[in-house]
Amino acid sequence: MGYRVAVVGATGAVGREILKTLHEREFPVDEIVALASPRSTGREVSFGDRTLKVQNLETFDFAGWDVALFSPGASVSAIHGPRAAKAGCIVIDNTSHFRMEPDVPLVVPEVNPNDLKKAKRGIVANPNCSTIQMVVALKPLHDLFTAKRVVVATYQAVAGAGKDGMDELFAQTKGTFVNDPPKVEQFQKQIAFNCIPQIDRFMDDGATKEEWKMTVETKKILDPEIQVLATCVRVPVFIGHSEAVVVEFEEPVDLRKAREALREAEGVVLLDEREDGGYVTPIECVGEDATYVSRLRIDPTVPNGLAFWCVSDNLRKGAALNAVQIAETMIALDLLPHRN
């Protein structure tokens, strides 16, 4: 018997990717509903070869529905996530709203699946896209050598800012060739042919909110003792986040063992040839489920140091796929009972 599934924020980039991923992975769906804001009510979205008419989230009754995958924006999740959970529907939320609440597990299934057993409120949080791919790559290395400090620079695609961010990059790029002055609306500066070292707002210590998220989320997911310094940069790439990661471990690093661990790790593909083009770039990871690791090498500037490059599709593993995998893992752990 399948499940009754609600997709909240179904008209957005992540919502559409969730619908696509549910269908591609043959998630056991008996009934599915697409929900969004009142202004999107009546629009149509695809689920496999079916067309779903979007319903109004604000008036929707979650009673009798088994699981809801949310990606509507943090302020909307704050209102309707608890409402759905109170109705007995398990909520898997893609926004930042619940991530750091102590009684809400923050889960990457390849890293900390057993934390799902702590979902006492009926809400599970999906981590930030840049955090997800980093902890997937770090997990097998941490298990071997115990990571104590991580320095990461991210190169984040505009899809992280949604459809409007992608549209702005397209319009500015096109405008450059016809001498149209760039309109800057979604980002702090022109994004076409540029890099912007700011994602989200600045905090009192000079870090941005995105950089703070990577720090606190890595601690909550992987190990509270890990120190993380992140510099998060928006780059003119449509889809696919990249990260240059340097890790200092407690134990001496054996490069051969590190390679073996990454090759065997769930969710990781090691593609590291020390030759021209022997690495993965963001354009090559679009539509793929894995986190790709390349440029693996010893960092000689610190004791027990290791450096690597990783890329992942931020709409899939960074959002939609991870959410669907959470639901699949809850089924495997017998944590997603039928409520209808």
Side-chain angles (χ1 to χ4, degrees):
M1 187 169 68
Y3 294 84
R4 302 184 77 205
V5 179
V7 177
V8 181
T11 58
V14 174
R16 291 175 185 272
E17 195 69 28
I18 287 173
L19 288 164
K20 179 182 176 183
T21 304
L22 286 167
H23 181 262
E24 288 178 349
R25 293 176 70 87
E26 299 181 345
F27 188 86
V29 171
D30 260 1
E31 188 176 352
I32 190 163
V33 63
L35 304 173
S37 65
R39 69 179 180 274
S40 295
T41 300
R43 290 176 60 183
E44 294 182 341
V45 292
S46 297
F47 177 64
D49 58 0
R50 294 168 53 189
T51 298
L52 306 178
K53 191 158 285 191
V54 175
Q55 297 185 32
N56 186 353
L57 168 63
E58 294 185 1
T59 58
F60 185 76
D61 184 0
F62 286 94
W65 290 80
D66 299 308
V67 59
L69 293 91
F70 272 66
S71 59
S75 61
V76 178
S77 285
I79 297 169
H80 296 285
R83 184 171 72 83
K86 188 176 180 180
C89 180
I90 295 293
V91 171
I92 301 170
D93 184 54
N94 265 288
T95 77
S96 62
H97 183 75
F98 299 103
R99 288 176 187 159
M100 297 314 298
E101 295 191 8
D103 56 352
V104 174
L106 183 67
V107 175
V108 178
E110 297 93 334
V111 179
N112 61 332
N114 287 325
D115 282 3
L116 290 168
K117 297 173 183 177
K118 304 173 186 176
K120 305 303 182 186
R121 288 172 57 186
I123 299 174
V124 179
N126 210 42
N128 188 40
C129 47
S130 51
T131 305
I132 290 175
Q133 71 183 71
M134 186 172 78
V135 297
V136 167
L138 278 176
K139 169 64 173 172
L141 301 171
H142 181 60
D143 287 347
L144 270 179
F145 311 121
T146 311
K148 67 176 185 179
R149 182 170 183 261
V150 177
V151 179
V152 55
T154 72
Y155 308 79
Q156 294 181 224
V158 295
K163 181 179 181 297
D164 289 342
M166 298 172 75
D167 288 345
E168 185 155 309
L169 172 58
F170 178 82
Q172 289 181 0
T173 303
K174 181 180 176 182
T176 298
F177 295 104
V178 293
N179 294 319
D180 281 346
K183 283 188 178 180
V184 176
E185 295 175 342
Q186 301 303 314
F187 304 106
Q188 299 82 8
K189 297 192 177 188
Q190 175 182 325
I191 184 60
F193 307 98
N194 199 15
C195 297
I196 304 172
Q198 179 188 353
I199 300 177
D200 213 322
R201 62 180 175 83
F202 277 98
M203 304 179 73
D204 290 343
D205 65 354
T208 63
K209 188 75 177 290
E210 185 83 355
E211 293 158 357
W212 174 83
K213 289 175 191 174
M214 290 196 74
T215 297
V216 296
E217 291 179 14
T218 300
K219 288 174 175 286
K220 184 172 180 178
I221 296 164
L222 194 59
D223 189 329
E225 299 302 316
I226 292 179
Q227 300 300 308
V228 179
L229 176 65
T231 300
C232 294
V233 183
R234 190 73 74 189
V235 297
V237 169
F238 283 102
I239 298 172
H241 288 353
S242 306
E243 296 175 352
V245 186
V246 180
V247 192
E248 186 178 355
F249 294 93
E250 297 280 359
E251 306 295 330
V253 176
D254 183 315
L255 194 57
R256 180 184 60 80
K257 289 182 179 179
R259 289 179 178 278
E260 288 176 359
L262 288 165
R263 285 194 188 98
E264 295 173 4
E266 183 183 359
V268 176
V269 172
L270 178 66
L271 202 164
D272 183 27
E273 305 295 335
R274 294 181 175 181
E275 59 185 37
D276 291 351
Y279 42 80
V280 181
T281 59
I283 201 168
E284 296 164 288
C285 77
V286 176
E288 300 292 329
D289 291 345
T291 293
Y292 290 87
V293 176
S294 307
R295 301 295 319 281
L296 195 68
R297 62 206 188 276
I298 296 293
D299 173 11
T301 67
V302 294
N304 310 326
L306 185 71
F308 62 86
W309 167 262
C310 72
V311 299
S312 190
D313 183 328
N314 58 295
L315 294 181
R316 287 187 70 86
K317 185 54 187 170
L321 173 63
N322 199 74
V324 173
Q325 287 177 311
I326 288 172
E328 293 170 342
T329 305
M330 294 188 80
I331 293 173
L333 295 174
D334 199 25
L335 299 172
L336 189 60
H338 294 274
R339 302 183 187 276
N340 54 334

